[in-house]
């Protein structure tokens, strides 16, 4: 049923460091991990978490963790934080940090672009939406190899989202069988700041946008 917003805060526990389930690991994550987006493969009960990794796989993690070599700010650390990309971990017990396993994914150029929302279907193909600036859709038969990129959500001149668009939350299935998902955008010239737009995707062909909001969902 509908969420009772007046009691929403009581539904969540206060966060704390002992509840962290993913920490940076390796040179390509040495500048941090962020932007988690979780979905579940209901066929197996496996949770998939796509996240953004900051770092540089060619840099020396020890050197870049040294305050003298790197410094405390992003400009100082730019030589150690040259890369941003999506990585994925999987778990059947998501509350347990040690259960998350990093997955080796492959695909066409750009498949691991920053910001990724994944749709796992009962039968392949599965889909993901990636990217900042514009959003592209990809497909996969095994959730490991991603191909056939297509433009999915791009800016609309004259609307609230004239330029920048970024992949948002994993799609959720609606009662009519179609999918609802969001995307991030930057409000146009008359208003400034971040906002969330929304689209409805075809349940039979999730690459097809059936409807797109004319106003921000949240700003």
């Amino acid at each position: 049923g509908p969420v009772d917003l007046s009691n929403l805060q009581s539904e969540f526990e206060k966060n704390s460091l002992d509840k962290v389930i993913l920490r940076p690991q390796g040179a390509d994550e040495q500048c941090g991990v962020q932007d988690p987006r979780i979905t579940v493969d209901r066929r197996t009960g496996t949770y998939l978490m796509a996240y953004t990794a900051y770092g540089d796989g060619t840099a020396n993690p020890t050197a870049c963790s040294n305050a003298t070599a790197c410094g405390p700010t992003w400009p100082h650390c730019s030589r150690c934080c040259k890369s941003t990309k999506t990585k994925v971990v999987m778990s059947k017990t998501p509350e347990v940090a040690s259960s998350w396993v990093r997955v080796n994914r492959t695909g066409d150029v750009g498949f691991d672009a920053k910001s990724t929302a994944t749709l796992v279907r009962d039968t392949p193909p599965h889909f993901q939406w990636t990217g900042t600036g514009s959003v592209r859709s990809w497909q996969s038969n095994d959730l490991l190899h991603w191909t056939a990129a297509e433009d999915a959500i791009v800016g609309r001149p004259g609307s609230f989202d004239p330029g920048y668009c970024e992949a948002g939350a994993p799609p959720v299935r609606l009662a009519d069988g179609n999918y609802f998902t969001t995307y991030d955008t930057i409000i146009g010239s008359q208003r400034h700041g971040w906002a969330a737009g929304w689209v409805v995707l075809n349940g039979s062909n999730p690459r097809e946008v059936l409807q797109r909001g004319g106003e921000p969902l949240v700003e």
Side-chain angles (χ1 to χ4, degrees), residues 15-26:
N15 204 359
S16 59
L17 289 177
D18 65 314
K19 293 183 173 65
V20 173
I21 60 172
L22 187 72
R23 297 181 185 275
Q25 177 178 301

Side-chain angles (χ1 to χ4, degrees), residues 152-165:
I153 304 172
V154 299
R156 298 177 294 180
S159 186
F160 73 91
D161 51 2
Y164 184 95
C165 294

Side-chain angles (χ1 to χ4, degrees), residues 21-22 35-51 86-94 100-101 103 105 116-121 126-128 140 142-144 146 170:
I21 60 172
L22 187 72
D35 205 6
R37 303 170 192 211
I38 298 178
T39 190
V40 63
D41 184 345
R42 299 189 184 279
R43 303 168 301 172
T44 63
T46 301
Y47 290 82
L48 292 82
M49 178 166 63
Y51 65 96
T86 288
K87 297 178 69 175
V88 170
V89 288
M90 294 185 179
S91 170
K92 287 192 175 182
T93 52
W100 289 97
V101 177
V103 178
R105 302 190 312 148
T116 295
T118 309
L119 172 62
V120 182
R121 304 204 300 173
H126 312 290
F127 297 91
Q128 70 172 18
S140 172
D142 59 7
L143 296 172
L144 298 176
W146 295 91

Side-chain angles (χ1 to χ4, degrees), residues 129-206:
W129 290 261
T130 69
T132 58
S134 62
V135 179
R136 309 190 80 191
S137 64
W138 304 74
Q139 71 178 44
S140 172
N141 288 325
D142 59 7
L143 296 172
L144 298 176
H145 187 68
W146 295 91
T147 61
E150 295 180 2
D151 288 335
I153 304 172
V154 299
R156 298 177 294 180
S159 186
F160 73 91
D161 51 2
Y164 184 95
C165 294
E166 178 178 341
V172 294
R173 197 170 186 89
L174 300 172
D176 63 3
N178 294 318
Y179 294 99
F180 176 90
T181 190
T182 62
Y183 61 95
D184 300 332
T185 188
I186 298 175
I187 294 293
S189 59
Q190 300 304 311
R191 294 173 290 179
H192 299 281
W194 287 94
W198 62 269
V199 295
V200 174
L201 307 173
N202 188 328
S204 300
N205 174 22

Side-chain angles (χ1 to χ4, degrees), residues 79-97:
R79 69 183 183 85
C80 303
C81 307
K82 297 176 181 178
S83 170
T84 60
K85 64 180 180 181
T86 288
K87 297 178 69 175
V88 170
V89 288
M90 294 185 179
S91 170
K92 287 192 175 182
T93 52
E95 300 90 351
V96 180

